[in-house]
Amino acid sequence: MPEPAVEGPRRAAEARPERSILRDFFRPSRGQFVVGIALFLTALIVVVTLRSQATQPEFANVRQQDLIQLLDNVTGETRRLEDQVRELELARTELVSGADRDEAAREEAARRLEQAQLIAGTVPATGPGIRIQIQDPGNRVTAELMLDAIEELRDAGAEVIELNDTVRLVMNSHFATDDRGGVAADGVSLGSPFVIEAIGDPATLEAGARFRGGLVSEVEGDRVKGTVTIEQLQSIEIATVVEVRAPQFARPR
């Protein structure tokens, strides 16, 4: 019957480590205190850094040259919109208080028709702009890359765009991958060199293409390893037109 005599000391021995852990927790040693302070300061620095990055402006880390290009693009687009506002205000004034309202209405209708034809791509176009030539020796240019390039040119104010002297890009244009894995626009296969002609302000259009992360960066980077040349031209003639298709479902009211 010796076991009951040993049971009490054994339980006391098991309870002592628990009391020791609690005592060490509430009375840390100097080393533990220093480590705790270091961990607290590290966590505080991480939290402050994350909050400061979250509150930084969107373009805080953009290079100065890229910011200048972006500002030029915005300035050019602002001027273009201001010109449109002045034209619309002048047309409204002539239609409301002009001496010959009928003549003013006919001129405004003709002007709007001309703009609609250019947007729809049903008439040739001419004007200043840029010509972009893309050399793609590895056939790595994709439909997605070309779509991004066209959207960048549109954002920079391109009014008329033509590809390889064969495809006039309009509102319902689309890009896809053809049977050979190349790029097709509106069902027409395009091959290298890709030639993009865009009518608009030449300086603003070129800045939009050269903006960091844009067309030039993508093509000349490791993704494509191609080359891009851009010419600013005072006159570009775009002769390709689009055949208007009758709507299948829509009807005028």
Side-chain angles (χ1 to χ4, degrees), residues 245-251:
R245 299 178 181 179
Q248 183 178 357
F249 301 102
R251 296 290 182 271

Side-chain angles (χ1 to χ4, degrees), residues 213-241:
L215 173 63
V216 176
S217 299
E218 289 291 327
V219 173
E220 296 185 348
D222 295 335
R223 177 181 176 183
V224 178
K225 295 183 179 179
T227 58
V228 180
T229 57
I230 301 178
E231 299 177 80
Q232 294 190 21
L233 303 173
Q234 294 302 314
S235 179
I236 294 179
E237 294 185 2
I238 295 180
T240 306
V241 295

Side-chain angles (χ1 to χ4, degrees), residues 3-4 25 86 90 94 131 188 193 218 222 230 239 247:
E3 293 181 0
F25 179 79
R86 283 193 293 269
L90 179 61
E94 292 178 350
R131 178 181 292 121
V188 179
E218 289 291 327
D222 295 335
I230 301 178

Side-chain angles (χ1 to χ4, degrees), residues 73 76-77 151-158 201 204-209:
N73 293 345
E77 182 67 12
E151 289 180 344
E152 291 167 3
L153 291 174
R154 290 292 192 192
D155 293 340
D201 180 70
T204 304
L205 292 178
E206 181 172 358

Side-chain angles (χ1 to χ4, degrees), residues 92-162:
R92 183 180 65 85
T93 302
E94 292 178 350
L95 290 173
V96 172
S97 60
D100 192 346
R101 296 183 181 180
D102 293 338
E103 182 64 23
R106 284 192 294 269
E107 291 179 356
E108 178 63 16
R111 187 181 68 85
R112 289 181 176 271
L113 175 61
E114 181 180 353
Q115 291 179 347
Q117 289 173 333
L118 288 173
I119 294 174
T122 58
V123 295
T126 182
I130 62 173
R131 178 181 292 121
I132 303 174
Q133 185 168 326
I134 302 173
Q135 297 287 348
D136 179 27
N139 294 323
R140 297 179 179 177
V141 171
T142 62
E144 291 80 8
L145 191 152
M146 290 295 294
L147 176 60
D148 291 341
I150 298 305
E151 289 180 344
E152 291 167 3
L153 291 174
R154 290 292 192 192
D155 293 340
E159 298 175 352
V160 180
I161 300 178
E162 183 185 59

